[in-house]
Amino acid sequence: TGWNDKIDEARSIVKKSGIGLVYASNFSIGVNIFFRIMENAAKIIDKLSDYDVYGYELHHSRKIDSPSGTANFSHSTIRFGGRFDFVGLRSNGTLSLTNSRVTQNFAINVNVNDGTATITDSEIDNASIGILHSVGTLTVSGSSVHDNTSFGISASGPNITDAQNNWWGSSTGPFHLTLNPGGIGNAVSDNVDFIPFLLSDPVGMVP
């Protein structure tokens, strides 16, 4: 977990040593059974228009390297989720969301409550709260955060949310009571670094 950014270094070491390397996203028998179950379930569900996807990644409380788990979404749409816990996409490990859309989930589109999350070139829209950030590290950039009725981003944890260079639904930027009271875009809470913001929508409708 967490070494994908060093894959070239690993390849170089393997080549120099003259030995092989066996690696996989997960060696757990249970997890690989789950992969096969989900692969087949997806083929069936894909044919049923009345159903949509919901993902929830959870580890046991005594996991040594907690928070853990990696989820990478690219050119994806996540919507109509959250009937279980009001959240469309929850992250407490490592999340990468790019060129994707998270929309119309029950109350909260994205909830980052631990670990590291990076959202780029994506659209987060049409929920009560676009992104809820409580614990961990969150970076949002080049994205369109709009039409969320309560907050575009609400941050309550100790870490500042890095949300520079995003579109908030208006060229005036997001509404913040003291930092941008004239903004008519989605509201942001304290602990959100939203300046500078984009003056036009960089994303449109994605994927």
Side-chain angles (χ1 to χ4, degrees):
T1 299
W3 66 280
N4 285 358
D5 59 335
K6 297 182 180 179
I7 187 69
D8 291 335
E9 181 181 343
R11 286 196 180 104
S12 177
I13 293 171
V14 170
K15 186 176 181 179
K16 289 179 181 178
S17 66
I19 61 174
L21 171 68
V22 177
Y23 73 96
S25 59
N26 199 299
F27 284 98
S28 164
I29 294 174
V31 168
N32 279 278
I33 291 172
F34 181 71
F35 285 162
R36 295 294 296 274
I37 291 172
M38 293 307 297
E39 180 181 355
N40 286 285
K43 292 176 182 177
I44 297 170
I45 293 294
D46 188 52
K47 300 175 183 178
L48 304 174
S49 60
D50 291 337
Y51 292 84
D52 216 314
V53 66
Y54 174 74
Y56 187 78
E57 190 275 331
L58 181 69
H59 284 89
H60 58 81
S61 60
R62 295 183 182 180
K63 193 172 191 298
I64 295 174
D65 61 344
S66 179
S68 184
T70 301
N72 297 316
F73 293 89
S74 178
H75 297 89
S76 303
T77 297
I78 300 172
R79 63 182 174 184
F80 307 139
R83 297 291 173 177
F84 172 67
D85 64 351
F86 309 107
V87 178
L89 177 62
R90 180 186 299 274
S91 173
N92 61 359
T94 301
L95 169 68
S96 173
L97 184 74
T98 181
N99 293 299
S100 294
R101 188 181 187 192
V102 187
T103 180
Q104 296 171 281
N105 291 287
F106 193 66
I108 302 167
N109 277 324
V110 182
N111 184 4
V112 177
N113 58 7
D114 211 339
T116 301
T118 304
I119 299 173
T120 56
D121 304 322
S122 294
E123 188 170 11
I124 312 295
D125 65 286
N126 285 284
S128 177
I129 298 176
I131 303 171
L132 179 64
H133 179 204
S134 53
V135 183
T137 302
L138 170 63
T139 302
V140 186
S141 63
S143 294
S144 178
V145 183
H146 65 90
D147 290 299
N148 299 288
T149 56
S150 295
F151 286 98
I153 298 180
S154 176
S156 59
N159 296 327
I160 299 294
T161 301
D162 183 354
Q164 298 181 32
N165 297 304
N166 294 290
W167 165 253
W168 301 93
S170 169
S171 60
T172 62
F175 171 78
H176 186 278
L177 186 61
T178 57
L179 298 178
N180 195 31
I184 61 173
N186 271 194
V188 293
S189 70
D190 292 335
N191 294 332
V192 178
D193 182 6
F194 61 86
I195 299 173
F197 51 81
L198 299 182
L199 303 179
S200 60
D201 191 346
V203 175
M205 305 296 276
V206 296

